[in-house]
Amino acid sequence: MRAVTWQGRRDVRVEEVPDPRIQQPNDAIVKVTSSGLCGSDLHLYETLKPFMGQGDVLGHEPMGIVEEVGPEAGDLRVGDRVVLPFQICCGHCWMCDQGLYTQCETTQVREQGMGAALFGFSKLYGEVPGGQAEYLRVPQAQFMPIKVPEGPADERFLFLSDVLPTAWQSVAYADVPKDGTLLVLGLGPIGDMATRIALHQGFRVIAVDLVPERLARATAAGAEVIDLRAVDDVAEEVRSRTNGRGADSVVDAVGMEAHGSPVAAFGQVVFGALPRRVSAAVMAKVGLDRMTAIYTAIDAVRRGGTISLIGVYGGQSDPMPMLTMFDKQIQLRMGQANVKRWVDDIMPLLVDDADPLGTETFATHRVPLSEAPTAYEKFQKKQDGTVKVVFKP
Ligand SMILES: NC(=O)c1ccc[n+]([C@@H]2O[C@H](COP(=O)([O-])OP(=O)(O)OC[C@H]3O[C@@H](n4cnc5c(N)ncnc54)[C@H](O)[C@@H]3O)[C@@H](O)[C@H]2O)c1
Ligand SMILES: [Zn+2]
Ligand SMILES: [Zn+2]
């Protein structure tokens, strides 16, 4: 089959790879019909080189049709239309019982000290072949697949794999008080969808980015926006719009590819030049996160407010302004989204004919797998109005 493979920093290629096969009795094989490209893929594309294997199949936002099932795949049937969560989870361990599917004790990548395995997401997360491919092996198929109804276009349901539950969790964790103001940093797919969800839930949203068409999408959804390029100090601007206090809650949907810290960007280039084994160790310890967005969040949140980190940070010893965080009595929540924890909350909005979250028009680009190299590049450089790419294998 054909699949999008990682070959090096900023180098993905579509290659022929062996068809996936059933390996465990609770596996299934899915023929992929749609597969998202995510800001998280950009960490693999740009930053996480030391943890990648050449030829790794990328992608963690797939949906499709069940092609084959193992004997222990529960009630999953050939022909079912399913969305796959980006994390691999069993549904019956202690963590899964708590709804903490990204911490699944059956699939935790213990040798790396990490949580649940993820599709297409480096050695840190189990190096499981991903879903930007024609076919996908689905482990834990007795629990994982989210069955969705026939009828509406793929895009109505596709974002249940990541964007929707991630954005939903980010808003839930932000714990916005009634009539409160939520500041959303970053208007990639995640911040954009978090904005839509928070507005749908009746909150005031102030959203920040530096890409005109991303700001325009948030404005169209009903948010107030701040163009990063037009203000000296985002936090000061937020305070000026919130009685001098700051936002009740902040979602940081930027993560470590933030713009604004040349120092870290320099570090990345230096580490990129080190031998792989050395750089993996150094990077995990020292941390290369570009901390701009989180610092903005800490500054812009009001005293006693809540920060919800949904953008991914990857280093181990980032200096944090602990004095201010403690003094301001900030509540900080974070983590990979527990996809299946939120599906029942979100599904009614997806089968609603009015499509209140605008899922069907959310993607800006639908392209065949063969265009993956260009799509990755345009998404990273934010060219050609690229906000969300969906591959159609
Ligand atoms: N926690 C999870 O489960 C989970 C799931 C999916 C994605 N993510 C993470 O969420 C983050 C966003 O993902 P995405 O798909 O929306 O990708 P993205 O990279 O398109 O979005 C990031 C956005 O932040 C903007 N930005 C950069 N620097 C900024 C700054 N200093 N202030 C404000 N905005 C800034 C960029 O212009 C861009 O629009 C990534 O870190 C991704 O890894 C986390
Ligand atoms: Zn994703
Ligand atoms: Zn589990």
Side-chain angles (χ1 to χ4, degrees):
M1 66 161 184
R2 287 158 69 73
V4 180
T5 62
W6 186 94
Q7 299 293 340
R9 184 162 169 264
R10 292 190 206 161
D11 182 4
V12 301
R13 290 181 217 161
V14 181
E15 306 241 287
E16 288 287 329
V17 302
D19 287 349
R21 293 222 181 79
I22 301 268
Q23 293 173 16
Q24 300 292 331
N26 60 346
D27 281 354
I29 304 295
V30 166
K31 181 173 172 33
V32 179
T33 54
S34 292
S35 200
L37 171 59
C38 179
S40 294
D41 293 320
L42 294 181
H43 308 318
L44 313 177
Y45 190 63
E46 181 69 41
T47 313
L48 291 178
K49 179 177 170 194
F51 303 102
M52 297 302 292
Q54 195 169 3
D56 281 356
V57 177
L58 298 168
H60 59 267
E61 303 187 347
M63 72 176 287
I65 307 293
V66 177
E67 175 100 357
E68 199 184 337
V69 290
E72 291 170 25
D75 58 9
L76 194 68
R77 297 285 171 267
V78 170
D80 284 348
R81 188 186 197 197
V82 292
V83 176
L84 289 319
F86 68 87
Q87 66 242 211
I88 299 168
C89 53
C90 74
H92 56 70
C93 71
W94 191 89
M95 285 292 174
C96 284
D97 280 347
Q98 318 297 308
L100 292 167
Y101 300 112
T102 55
Q103 314 303 325
C104 174
E105 288 174 335
T106 305
T107 76
Q108 273 178 21
V109 185
R110 290 188 172 77
E111 61 278 16
Q112 300 280 356
M114 302 302 279
L118 309 179
F119 282 116
F121 216 78
S122 84
K123 298 186 169 90
L124 283 174
Y125 286 104
E127 212 169 23
V128 183
Q132 289 165 5
E134 289 177 305
Y135 294 91
L136 177 70
R137 178 176 84 93
V138 178
Q140 304 295 335
Q142 81 292 347
F143 176 69
M144 284 259 288
I146 303 164
K147 290 190 198 177
V148 297
E150 301 293 338
D154 272 11
E155 279 81 348
R156 186 65 82 101
F157 303 111
L158 173 66
F159 304 118
L160 278 173
S161 56
D162 183 342
V163 175
L164 284 162
T166 297
W168 195 277
Q169 176 171 305
S170 77
V171 175
Y173 279 12
D175 202 17
V176 193
K178 193 170 174 299
D179 300 324
T181 300
L182 175 67
L183 175 67
V184 175
L185 299 176
L187 289 169
I190 302 300
D192 185 326
M193 189 56 82
T195 297
R196 297 176 192 215
I197 289 167
L199 289 167
H200 183 75
Q201 294 178 355
F203 301 117
R204 177 185 177 202
V205 177
I206 304 174
V208 186
D209 206 293
L210 61 159
V211 181
E213 62 271 15
R214 295 180 181 215
L215 291 163
R217 275 163 64 108
T219 307
E224 297 160 44
V225 297
I226 298 173
D227 185 338
L228 199 62
R229 298 163 309 168
V231 296
D232 289 336
D233 184 341
V234 171
E236 202 48 53
E237 178 65 24
V238 172
R239 279 190 289 275
S240 78
R241 300 187 191 190
T242 51
N243 299 319
R245 289 198 189 95
D248 299 297
S249 306
V250 182
V251 166
D252 172 354
V254 178
M256 62 182 162
E257 312 297 329
H259 296 262
S261 175
V263 178
F266 171 74
Q268 212 168 289
V269 174
V270 171
F271 287 130
L274 289 173
R276 174 179 294 258
R277 226 154 37 90
V278 179
S279 61
V282 172
M283 185 168 152
K285 285 232 159 37
V286 179
L288 287 174
D289 305 347
R290 307 190 205 182
M291 302 292 287
T292 319
I294 168 117
Y295 285 150
T296 304
I298 292 166
D299 195 4
V301 72
R302 71 155 161 79
R303 289 182 176 274
T306 304
I307 294 177
S308 169
L309 282 186
I310 201 78
V312 170
Y313 289 89
Q316 291 283 43
S317 60
D318 308 298
M320 292 282 275
M322 282 304 296
L323 174 72
T324 307
M325 290 168 70
F326 184 81
D327 179 63
K328 286 185 77 171
Q329 205 172 330
I330 293 167
Q331 336 275 318
L332 183 60
R333 300 197 68 185
M334 63 186 100
Q336 303 277 9
N338 303 298
V339 172
K340 292 198 77 166
R341 163 73 181 78
W342 310 105
V343 169
D344 291 346
D345 295 322
I346 299 168
M347 198 58 105
L349 301 179
L350 304 185
V351 294
D352 180 336
D353 284 340
D355 191 15
L357 299 178
T359 53
E360 284 198 4
T361 52
F362 190 70
T364 51
H365 294 68
R366 294 167 183 77
V367 300
L369 280 187
S370 57
E371 286 178 31
T374 340
Y376 268 76
E377 189 184 347
K378 282 187 184 168
F379 179 48
Q380 188 193 39
K381 294 185 175 157
K382 301 171 180 69
Q383 291 169 341
D384 194 20
T386 309
V387 181
K388 189 70 183 180
V389 176
V390 175
F391 295 114
K392 300 287 183 181

